């Protein structure tokens, strides 16, 4: 609109004037407030908050600063709006239920999933998170453009360098004038993998389709977890996620994660552990209570919020007369436990002139824009680094030239009347620039030392190498793409984590529980000596990231995990509830935090479960129960074995029946007897004697016999050996056994034993908390009564505490009966029994022991035949 002189009256068209004014207002709201930039994924207020905190030095390695001080800094320098707008934006960046990857590290009450508002800004503190530092990285290297603040007194960044793809990983939501955006958060690892793929296909990006990108990005990954259904009949084409990614607009169904929890006397409850994104938990509880009160849902007796620091847990008690899954169907239908998330991938995109415009962005275009932004950032950063390196190399050239002609330089300076004269003389004599000459005149005397001169020459060579590298990088755009790819891979390795939201490759169903959606994968569970349980991945190599273990067991993600304490109690929890970061067993199972945990076992929920669970105590008591009895036990904590006050449960193993068990004591005695000598008992029984112990002796290891294996023993001072199982004769239960190791002052008493094969992995844990993974084949193979060798170096004052034997997951399938030919061949392969070389059995025997020893003919033949049958049944 043309400017008018004051006092001049001009006729205008009211329609045109209103349209222009409203359009200006709308664009101001769109660009300056409501919509994020496609490059860094931030709205102006978020960008100003992060930059102000960076400028204040409130970084991850600094102390927290009061939120009111940060808000005041943002208001006074950059943001021309109210203080609550700034504080609410900052608080959201600190909420782990709103942001997938936090940008602000908050201390204090920043709100909750129950809808509680953050505490007043005078009560909370904050600092930048590590992820925010990735968005601000290299901002001091002239990588982005700056513009004036609201009053022109300062400059602020127009966009951040954004080394992390923030728009996709944290999402965005905002309502502007006539338009809105609602971009869901995603998993960082998946987004980085997709970006690396886009870079690899950069020259052929037109041929990359959404289906290829969805091999990496499976779908949204909300901070609150939940379940997203990929397919929906209401969406054209049926694939809801693909439609949203292909067009930039769509809607998906998000459902709460719930499972059925069996309790005593045939009753079951519903437990909700994750809610759809942005669902208020307190309002959900009120809604359920309202539906029950109005009679729209029948069968619910109570709703309790049992959430704590370990995670969300909403317990819904139902009566015995209803099916829990039927209740779940009604809850999904009538409450926000199932909701729709509308995807609108709208963001601001800069045109050729730098002017921001709104664009609907399909997934590929959004990834492409981010890579283009990073290309500009890396190019400008490289140019900045090149300029600085060239400037420093230029100065070093002058210093090195001066040092090479040191005597003459000193003579010129001493003869000069003043600094200006010296400068002129040096520049003329050695053809130096003014910058080089000033550096020579400012050079301290310590630079004259020989070592200092060598350092200058080394630095000069280093700068020349950097200059060569940066010039080559700037000359080849493909190498810049390679740098971006490498940085994304490093970002993924540093911050990447597991997906929280489950993608259901199915249509929107009626009642899908967590157990039904859990992928079939095998993982290792570690129970640490600090009372925590953690998932350590599919390889035991990751055990180094967990606390020193007391138990390790292999599990299927759909199994139930049973954790035992030394008093014979067992707590149970679904395997999928155990996270990689770990959680306290007391929070997962209901066992006490004061309990000493000793063993762990994973069993499938099955009505036709076969096999047995075998227990062993420190004082030699053994017990066998059917696996079905353990699985069908009710309650989160129950008794598995009745243990005497002076005794303690130490070992739990799965057997298939018809096998044998080996017990080893601290004084080196070992006994091998048939499993069938221990009849199956009830859960509250106390067990029977497995080995007759001498004075001050105790059991240090119990394991199940497996074909073609060795018995490995480990001592307190790090000595070990292994001997073939054939050297351990099968005896009757409750005997004194045979010698398995000669114990001396050098080796110390035994602390662990296991039945192993060459590739079996074991974990040695010391009393000072050191844990090391070893393979059985690294221990020497000796005779049963042979010496032990040192295999584990110990620090001074340290000793081996326990030997942890990882328990492989049992398949609970009876092996097929071998064919007659195979059976005969197997008999030929059975290792022959070896007579004991030494048996320290006292002359005075108990009645049972005498009968066993007297039965060297008929009884031994019977035992030997039973051993062969067991080995054949196990598939030897």
């Amino acid at each position: 609109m043309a400017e008018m002189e004051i006092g001049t009256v001009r006729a205008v068209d009211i329609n045109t004037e209103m349209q222009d004014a409203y359009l200006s207002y709308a664009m101001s709201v769109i660009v300056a407030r409501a919509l994020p930039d496609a490059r860094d994924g931030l709205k102006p207020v978020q960008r100003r908050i992060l930059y102000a905190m960076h400028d204040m030095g409130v970084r991850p390695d600094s102390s927290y600063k009061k939120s009111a001080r940060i808000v005041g800094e943002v208001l006074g320098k950059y943001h021309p709006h109210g203080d609550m707008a700034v504080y609410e934006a900052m608080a959201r960046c600190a909420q782990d239920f709103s942001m997938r990857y936090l940008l602000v590290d908050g201390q204090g009450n920043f709100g909750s999933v129950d809808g509680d508002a953050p505490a007043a800004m005078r009560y909370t503190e904050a600092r930048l998170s590590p992820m925010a530092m990735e968005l601000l990285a290299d901002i001091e290297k002239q990588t982005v453009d700056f513009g004036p603040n609201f009053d022109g007194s300062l400059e602020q960044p127009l966009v951040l360098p954004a080394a992390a793809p923030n728009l996709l990983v944290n999402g965005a939501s905002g309502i502007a004038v006539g338009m809105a955006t609602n971009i869901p958060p995603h998993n960082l690892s998946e987004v980085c993998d997709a970006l690396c793929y886009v870079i690899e296909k950069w020259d052929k990006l037109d041929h990359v389709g959404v289906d290829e990108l969805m091999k990496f990005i499976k779908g949204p990954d909300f901070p609150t977890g939940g379940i997203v259904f990929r397919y929906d009949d209401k969406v054209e084409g049926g694939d809801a996620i693909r439609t949203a990614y292909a067009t930039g607009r769509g809607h998906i169904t998000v459902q709460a994660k719930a499972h059925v929890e069996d309790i005593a006397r045939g009753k079951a409850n519903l437990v909700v552990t994750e809610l759809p994104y942005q669902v208020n938990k307190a309002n959900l509880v009120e809604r359920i209570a309202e539906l029950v009160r109005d009679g729209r849902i029948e069968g619910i007796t109570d709703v309790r919020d049992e959430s704590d620091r370990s995670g969300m847990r909403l317990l819904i008690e139902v009566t015995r007369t209803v099916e829990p899954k039927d209740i779940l169907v009604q809850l999904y239908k009538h409450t926000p436990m199932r909701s729709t998330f509308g995807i609108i991938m709208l963001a601001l995109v800069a045109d050729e002139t730098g002017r921001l415009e709104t664009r609907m962005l399909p997934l590929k275009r959004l990834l492409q824009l981010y890579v283009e932004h990073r290309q500009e950032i890396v190019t400008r950063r490289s140019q900045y680094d090149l300029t600085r390196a060239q400037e420093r190399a230029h100065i070093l050239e002058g210093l090195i030239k001066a040092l090479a002609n040191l005597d003459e330089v000193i003579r010129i300076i001493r003869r000069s009347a003043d600094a200006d004269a010296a400068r002129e003389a040096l520049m003329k004599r050695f053809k130096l620039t003014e910058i080089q000459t000033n550096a020579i005149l400012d050079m301290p005397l310590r630079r004259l030392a020989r070592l200092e001169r060598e350092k200058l020459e080394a630095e000069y060579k280093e700068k020349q190498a950097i200059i060569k590298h940066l010039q080559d990088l700037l000359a080849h755009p493909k190498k810049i793409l390679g740098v971006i790819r490498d940085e994304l891979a490093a970002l993924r390795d540093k911050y990447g984590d597991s997906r929280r939201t489950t993608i259901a490759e199915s249509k929107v169903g009626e009642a899908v529980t967590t157990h039904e959606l859990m992928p079939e994968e095998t993982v290792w569970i570690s129970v640490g000596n600090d009372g925590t349980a953690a998932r350590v991945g599919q390889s035991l190599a990751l055990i180094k990231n967990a606390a020193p273990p007391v138990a390790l067991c292999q599990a299927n993600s759909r199994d139930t995990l049973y954790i035992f304490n030394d008093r014979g109690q067992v707590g149970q929890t679904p395997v999928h509830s155990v996270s990689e970061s770990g959680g306290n067993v007391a929070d997962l199972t209901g066992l006490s935090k004061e309990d000493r945990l000793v063993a762990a076992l994973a069993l499938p929920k099955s009505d036709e479960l076969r096999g047995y669970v075998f227990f062993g105590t420190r004082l030699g008591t053994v017990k066998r129960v059917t696996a079905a009895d353990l699985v069908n036990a009710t309650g989160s904590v129950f008794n598995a074995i009745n243990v005497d006050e002076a005794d303690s449960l130490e070992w739990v193993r799965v057997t298939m029946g018809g096998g044998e068990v080996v017990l080893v004591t601290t004084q080196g005695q070992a006994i091998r007897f048939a499993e069938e000598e221990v009849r199956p008992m009830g859960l509250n029984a106390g067990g029977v004697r497995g080995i007759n112990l001498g004075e001050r002796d105790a059991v240090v290891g119990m394991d199940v016999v497996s074909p073609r294996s060795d018995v490995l023993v480990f001592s307190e001072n790090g000595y070990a050996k292994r001997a073939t199982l054939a050297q351990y004769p099968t005896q009757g239960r409750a005997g004194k056994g045979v010698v398995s190791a000669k114990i001396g002052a050098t080796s110390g008493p035994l602390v662990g034993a296991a039945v192993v094969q060459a590739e079996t992995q074991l974990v040695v844990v010391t009393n000072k908390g050191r844990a090391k993974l070893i393979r059985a084949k690294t221990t020497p193979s000796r005779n049963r009564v042979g010496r032990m060798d040192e295999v584990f170096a110990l620090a001074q004052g340290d000793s081996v505490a326990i030997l942890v034997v990882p328990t492989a997951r049992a398949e609970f399938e009876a092996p097929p009966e071998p064919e007659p030919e195979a059976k005969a061949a197997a008999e030929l392969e059975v290792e022959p029994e070896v007579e004991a070389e030494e048996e320290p059995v006292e002359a005075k025997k108990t009645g049972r022991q005498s009968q066993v020893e007297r039965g060297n003919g008929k009884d031994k033949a019977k035992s030997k035949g039973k051993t062969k049958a067991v080995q054949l049944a196990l598939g030897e």
Side-chain angles (χ1 to χ4, degrees):
M1 185 177 65
E3 294 185 3
M4 294 190 299
E5 295 181 5
I6 298 176
T8 302
V9 178
R10 183 168 62 90
V12 297
D13 182 7
I14 187 65
N15 292 326
T16 303
E17 187 71 15
M18 288 296 294
Q19 288 176 5
D20 291 344
Y22 190 77
L23 185 60
S24 298
Y25 162 72
M27 289 307 299
S28 173
V29 172
I30 290 168
V31 174
R33 300 187 72 172
L35 297 186
D37 193 300
R39 296 168 291 181
D40 60 9
L42 298 172
K43 299 177 185 179
V45 64
Q46 296 169 326
R47 189 178 302 116
R48 290 162 182 165
I49 290 169
L50 298 185
Y51 181 68
M53 293 176 74
H54 178 270
D55 203 33
M56 293 170 64
V58 191
R59 302 176 187 181
D61 55 353
S62 71
S63 60
Y64 292 90
K65 290 290 186 292
K66 188 167 286 191
S67 298
R69 180 177 173 185
I70 297 170
V71 171
E73 184 83 2
V74 177
L75 287 177
K77 290 184 175 181
Y78 308 114
H79 198 65
H81 300 287
D83 57 348
M84 288 312 297
V86 175
Y87 183 52
E88 287 173 5
M90 188 183 81
R92 190 177 189 278
C93 291
Q95 293 172 344
D96 57 3
F97 54 89
S98 295
M99 304 290 285
R100 184 63 177 83
Y101 300 91
L102 298 182
L103 299 181
V104 172
D105 177 10
Q107 184 169 267
N109 176 18
F110 279 91
S112 74
V113 74
D114 289 317
D116 301 318
M121 66 181 79
R122 61 182 179 275
Y123 297 125
T124 60
E125 297 177 327
R127 63 185 179 187
L128 289 172
S129 72
M131 181 61 74
M133 295 304 297
E134 299 294 341
L135 298 182
L136 291 156
D138 301 320
I139 195 170
E140 71 283 354
K141 293 185 177 183
Q142 300 175 5
T143 51
V144 295
D145 293 329
F146 280 68
N149 66 341
F150 57 86
D151 62 0
S153 61
L154 296 169
E155 287 201 329
Q156 60 185 351
L158 303 180
V159 68
L160 296 187
N166 182 62
L167 183 59
L168 269 177
V169 299
N170 272 326
S173 63
I175 300 175
V177 179
M179 58 185 66
T181 186
N182 203 28
I183 302 173
H186 292 81
N187 184 269
L188 177 66
S189 298
E190 294 181 0
V191 173
C192 287
D193 288 339
L195 285 166
C196 290
Y197 180 78
V198 166
I199 291 171
E200 290 174 8
K201 301 289 184 179
W202 193 250
D203 293 335
K204 300 178 180 178
L205 197 58
D206 291 341
H207 302 290
V208 174
V210 68
D211 294 319
E212 292 176 71
L213 297 176
M214 287 186 66
K215 292 178 182 178
F216 304 99
I217 301 178
K218 309 298 183 183
D221 189 24
F222 298 109
T224 53
I227 301 165
V228 170
F229 290 93
R230 177 169 179 177
Y231 298 101
D232 192 340
D233 289 335
K234 298 178 181 178
V235 176
E236 185 178 352
D239 194 332
I241 297 177
R242 186 187 184 282
T243 299
Y245 285 163
T247 65
R249 183 186 290 271
H251 67 268
I252 55 176
T253 300
V254 189
Q255 180 176 289
K257 276 189 182 179
H259 65 270
V260 179
E261 185 176 86
D262 296 325
I263 57 174
R265 297 184 296 276
K267 192 177 178 183
N269 291 334
L270 290 172
V271 178
V272 180
T273 54
E274 296 176 11
L275 292 177
Y277 187 47
Q278 295 177 331
V279 167
N280 186 307
K281 176 158 59 70
N283 290 346
L284 174 64
V285 173
E286 291 181 9
R287 174 62 177 163
I288 295 173
E290 179 185 336
L291 291 170
V292 174
R293 196 164 48 245
D294 295 344
R296 298 180 64 184
I297 296 181
E298 295 181 354
I300 296 178
T301 59
D302 192 14
V303 181
R304 293 197 304 274
D305 185 2
E306 298 179 350
S307 305
D308 54 23
R309 291 184 179 180
S310 64
M312 183 183 296
R313 180 180 168 86
L314 191 62
L315 183 69
I316 303 171
E317 289 189 1
V318 299
T319 63
R320 293 189 185 89
T321 58
V322 298
E323 176 63 37
K325 288 191 70 172
D326 293 340
I327 298 294
L328 202 55
V329 171
Q330 298 181 62
L331 290 174
Y332 286 146
K333 182 177 180 181
H334 299 295
T335 73
M337 282 179 59
R338 177 182 288 167
S339 57
T340 299
F341 185 92
I343 297 177
I344 308 173
M345 299 172 72
L346 186 75
L348 297 172
V349 178
D351 61 13
E352 294 79 4
T353 63
R355 182 170 172 269
L356 294 176
E357 299 177 341
T358 57
R359 289 285 184 271
M360 187 67 71
L361 301 174
L363 178 62
K364 185 174 80 170
R365 180 59 180 155
L366 207 156
L367 296 171
Q368 182 183 5
L369 286 170
Y370 177 75
V371 174
E372 290 173 354
H373 174 59
R374 288 302 296 170
Q375 279 183 300
E376 181 182 356
I377 297 300
V378 173
T379 300
R380 294 177 65 164
R381 181 186 68 193
S382 301
Q383 186 61 59
Y384 177 88
D385 290 340
L386 177 61
T387 303
R388 299 289 88 75
Q390 288 173 332
E391 290 173 353
R392 179 59 181 164
H394 180 66
I395 292 173
L396 290 171
E397 285 177 359
L399 293 176
I400 291 172
K401 186 180 289 187
L403 291 173
N405 301 275
L406 184 59
D407 293 338
E408 187 175 358
V409 168
I410 293 174
R411 186 166 58 252
I412 291 173
I413 295 174
R414 292 182 64 183
R415 290 178 178 178
S416 300
D418 53 24
D420 291 336
R423 184 181 301 107
E424 292 295 331
L426 288 171
M427 290 172 63
K428 182 177 181 181
R429 170 66 183 84
F430 296 107
K431 295 183 172 57
L432 300 172
T433 65
E434 185 175 351
I435 294 174
Q436 289 175 321
T437 309
N438 288 334
I440 293 170
L441 293 174
D442 293 337
M443 182 173 62
L445 290 176
R446 61 182 174 82
R447 287 289 192 187
L448 303 180
R450 182 170 58 85
L451 288 177
E452 291 294 329
R453 283 185 289 178
E454 291 177 357
K455 286 181 182 179
L456 288 175
E457 291 172 356
E459 185 184 358
Y460 180 69
K461 290 180 181 179
E462 179 187 351
K463 293 301 179 185
Q464 289 293 343
I466 292 174
I467 291 169
K468 183 178 179 181
H469 167 71
L470 291 173
Q471 287 175 337
D472 181 61
L473 186 66
L474 290 168
H476 299 88
K478 282 191 175 181
K479 291 187 177 181
I480 289 180
L481 287 173
V483 170
I484 298 170
R485 184 187 61 243
D486 294 343
E487 290 180 352
L488 286 169
L491 187 78
R492 176 195 60 208
D493 296 339
K494 185 176 181 180
Y495 298 103
D497 57 3
S498 300
R499 164 174 282 279
R500 297 182 188 177
T501 300
T502 302
I503 304 297
E505 297 286 339
S506 60
K507 296 180 181 179
V508 178
E510 286 196 339
V512 180
T513 62
T514 304
H515 184 269
E516 293 166 337
L517 282 172
M518 195 57 55
E520 291 271 1
E521 62 175 346
T522 301
V523 296
W524 283 97
I525 302 294
S526 171
V527 177
N529 59 9
D530 58 353
T532 62
R535 198 186 303 194
V536 294
Q538 298 180 346
S539 170
L540 276 176
L542 297 176
I543 188 65
K544 61 185 178 181
N545 299 327
V550 295
L552 284 164
C553 72
Q554 196 179 40
N556 185 284
S557 53
R558 294 192 177 186
D559 287 347
T560 299
L561 178 66
Y562 297 88
I563 301 177
F564 301 81
N565 66 14
D566 61 339
R567 305 315 310 153
Q569 293 177 313
V570 55
Q572 57 178 322
T573 185
V575 168
H576 63 74
S577 67
V578 181
S579 65
E580 292 182 2
S581 58
N584 198 290
V585 170
D587 298 327
L588 292 170
T589 66
L591 289 171
S592 171
K593 290 185 178 180
E594 284 71 39
D595 286 341
R596 182 171 74 86
L597 307 177
V598 295
L601 199 63
L603 299 174
K605 285 283 187 182
S606 173
D607 295 333
E608 300 179 357
L609 191 64
R610 304 175 184 177
Y612 302 88
V613 178
F614 208 93
F615 302 94
T617 74
R618 186 175 60 87
L619 296 184
T621 298
V622 293
K623 176 184 174 180
R624 186 166 65 132
V625 303
T626 63
D629 282 351
L630 196 70
V631 169
N632 293 328
T634 57
S636 58
V637 177
F638 55 90
N639 253 17
I641 177 174
N642 189 15
V643 182
D644 291 341
E645 189 66 30
D647 202 357
S648 62
L649 174 66
E650 301 291 340
W651 301 275
V652 181
R653 295 288 185 270
V654 172
T655 69
M656 296 309 300
E660 294 180 326
V661 179
V662 172
L663 274 70
V664 180
T665 75
T666 184
Q667 297 302 318
Q669 294 297 111
I671 189 169
R672 173 182 179 182
F673 59 87
E675 173 192 346
E676 299 300 329
E677 291 203 27
V678 183
R679 63 176 179 80
M681 307 175 196
L683 290 177
N684 288 319
V688 296
R689 184 176 297 279
I691 185 171
N692 191 7
L693 297 171
E695 283 189 46
R696 295 185 299 278
D697 204 359
V699 178
V700 293
M702 183 198 83
D703 217 339
V704 178
V705 171
S706 59
R708 291 185 290 276
S709 297
D710 299 334
V711 175
L712 182 146
V713 293
F714 215 99
S715 79
E716 184 179 61
N717 294 336
Y719 286 70
K721 71 163 187 178
R722 53 194 169 94
T724 60
L725 264 168
Q727 300 180 52
Y728 290 79
T730 302
Q731 303 180 0
R733 176 181 61 79
K736 287 201 171 183
V738 297
V739 171
S740 66
K742 290 183 178 179
I743 305 303
T746 303
S747 66
L750 298 185
V751 294
V755 175
V756 300
Q757 293 179 335
E759 294 300 322
T760 300
Q761 293 179 300
L762 307 162
V763 180
V764 181
V765 181
T766 72
N767 283 303
K768 288 188 176 181
R770 181 186 171 197
K772 184 178 180 181
L773 189 67
I774 65 170
R775 291 190 183 274
K777 65 182 180 183
T778 61
T779 60
S781 180
R782 299 274 186 266
N783 289 329
R784 174 169 57 82
V785 293
R787 74 176 191 279
M788 292 188 290
D789 290 345
E790 186 177 15
V791 298
F792 189 79
L794 292 163
Q796 187 173 5
D798 202 1
S799 59
V800 178
I802 56 172
L803 181 70
V804 181
V805 184
T807 306
R809 183 177 183 270
E811 295 299 330
F812 294 100
E813 292 292 338
E817 185 68 24
E819 298 295 330
E821 294 81 1
K823 192 171 184 178
E827 287 182 356
L828 293 175
E829 293 179 5
V830 175
E831 294 177 310
E833 290 284 352
V834 177
E835 294 294 333
E837 298 176 24
E838 181 180 344
E839 292 196 27
V841 181
E842 298 176 3
K844 189 174 181 180
K845 317 285 187 192
T846 63
R848 181 176 177 82
Q849 288 171 316
S850 301
Q851 289 174 7
V852 170
E853 292 188 353
R854 284 197 299 269
N856 288 330
K858 182 178 178 181
D859 289 347
K860 187 169 183 180
K862 187 185 298 182
S863 174
K864 192 170 182 180
K866 182 187 291 184
T867 302
K868 288 183 177 181
V870 169
Q871 289 171 328
L872 289 171
L874 290 170
E876 182 176 4

